[in-house]
Amino acid sequence: MTDHNQVTYDVVAPSRTDAPPVPYARITLDAPRRRNALSLALLDELRAALDRAAHDDVRAVVLAASGPAFCSGADLTEALADGMTASARRLADVLRDLLALPKPVVARVHGPVRAGGIGLVAACDVAVSADHITYAFTEARLALAPAVISLAVLPRMSPRAAQRTFLTGAQFTAAEAARWGLVTSSVPAADLDAEVDAVLAGLSAADPQGLAATKELLNADTLARFDAHVDDVVDASARLFASEPARAAMEKLLAR
C-alpha cells in the first residue's frame, strides 16, 4: 500500500479458487470524509497510481472507492479558493491516462457518483455499478458545464440521454446508466464483487499483448477526439468555475 493520503494502491494476488487467477491492481479513492472529491492532491495521487499499475506485473486494474460515495465530483472548496485551471487540466490528464493505460480498467461503483466522478467511470473500460445508487451531472445547476468529462462521457452515452441528463442535472439510476451505455452492468450491491471478479476472470484469459492492442483499437477514436479538444474544454471549464454565477452557486451549496 502506498503512503498516499487520498488514494491507496494494492496488488491483489489470487487467494482462493473462485478469485481471478492472475494478480490485478486495486486503486482506491480514499478521501471518504470529502466524498472522494477530485482535489488536486487526489488527482495527482491517482495519476501516480495509474502510472504504477502500467509498470507493475498485473493483468488489469480495478478502480474503487472507500466510504459511502464513489465520487462527488470537483472539490468545490478548493475551486473557490484556488480556481479550477490546474485541477481541470489534471482531471483531463487522469481521464486520458485511464483511456490510454495499456491494461484494462474496471470501475467498481458502490456508491453515488456526481459530475466529474462520472468522467472517471466513463473513462474505464468496464464499469460495474451497484443497482441502488444514483448518478447526476450537476454542473448546469451550478452555472457550469461537464466540459472536461464530456470527452470521456459522450463516446459512451447515448446522445439523447446525454442531452437530458447534462441539461437538467437530474439524478438517474444505475439501471438507466446501464441502458444508456454509461456503465456496463447494474447489479445488486451484494453481487458487486462477484461481478467484478467475473470480469477480471474473463480478462485473465487474454494475453497481455492482446489486451493492450485491443484496448488501443477500441479507444483510438476517443483518444483522437480527446487530444483535438482537450485544451478548449480545459479552458472553458476554468472560465466557468471563475465566473460570478458559478462562484455564487458554489458558495450557496457549500453554505448548506
Side-chain angles (χ1 to χ4, degrees), residues 135-181:
Y135 296 76
F137 296 100
T138 53
E139 291 90 343
R141 297 186 176 190
L142 297 175
L144 303 168
V148 174
I149 65 169
S150 70
L151 297 178
V153 171
L154 293 180
R156 308 286 196 212
M157 199 171 186
S158 69
R160 284 298 188 188
Q163 285 179 295
R164 175 182 173 182
T165 55
F166 278 26
L167 290 168
T168 66
Q171 293 183 18
F172 54 98
T173 67
E176 288 172 320
R179 189 164 69 246
W180 296 334

Side-chain angles (χ1 to χ4, degrees), residues 100-121:
L101 195 78
K103 298 169 183 179
V105 184
V106 181
R108 177 193 181 276
V109 190
H110 76 290
V113 196
R114 299 291 184 264
I118 303 179
L120 299 182
V121 174

Side-chain angles (χ1 to χ4, degrees), residues 29-235:
L29 309 181
D30 195 21
R33 283 188 286 184
R34 306 193 71 170
R35 300 178 66 81
N36 299 312
L38 299 174
S39 66
L40 193 56
L42 185 145
L43 290 167
D44 281 341
E45 292 175 16
L46 182 51
R47 286 204 81 195
L50 290 169
D51 181 67
R52 181 175 173 182
H55 295 93
D56 270 355
D57 185 18
V58 295
R59 188 64 54 88
V61 177
V62 172
L63 180 63
S66 64
F70 182 84
C71 181
S72 60
D75 187 322
L76 300 184
T77 301
E78 187 176 87
L80 278 170
D82 302 324
M84 198 63 181
T85 301
S87 292
R89 175 60 64 179
R90 201 73 86 253
L91 176 57
D93 291 339
V94 167
L95 296 179
R96 196 186 193 288
D97 289 347
L98 286 165
L99 290 164
L101 195 78
K103 298 169 183 179
V105 184
V106 181
R108 177 193 181 276
V109 190
H110 76 290
V113 196
R114 299 291 184 264
I118 303 179
L120 299 182
V121 174
C124 293
D125 302 289
V126 179
V128 181
S129 176
D131 63 4
H132 69 284
I133 70 169
T134 59
Y135 296 76
F137 296 100
T138 53
E139 291 90 343
R141 297 186 176 190
L142 297 175
L144 303 168
V148 174
I149 65 169
S150 70
L151 297 178
V153 171
L154 293 180
R156 308 286 196 212
M157 199 171 186
S158 69
R160 284 298 188 188
Q163 285 179 295
R164 175 182 173 182
T165 55
F166 278 26
L167 290 168
T168 66
Q171 293 183 18
F172 54 98
T173 67
E176 288 172 320
R179 189 164 69 246
W180 296 334
L182 183 61
V183 302
T184 309
S185 58
S186 167
V187 300
D191 298 333
L192 187 60
D193 287 325
E195 182 71 8
V196 170
D197 282 352
V199 173
L200 292 169
L203 295 173
S204 71
D207 182 87
Q209 177 175 289
L211 287 174
T214 302
K215 176 168 178 174
E216 182 179 9
L217 179 70
L218 288 167
N219 287 345
D221 290 345
T222 298
L223 282 168
R225 184 177 182 276
F226 195 107
D227 291 340
H229 296 285
V230 65
D231 290 341
D232 291 338
V233 296
V234 165
D235 290 345

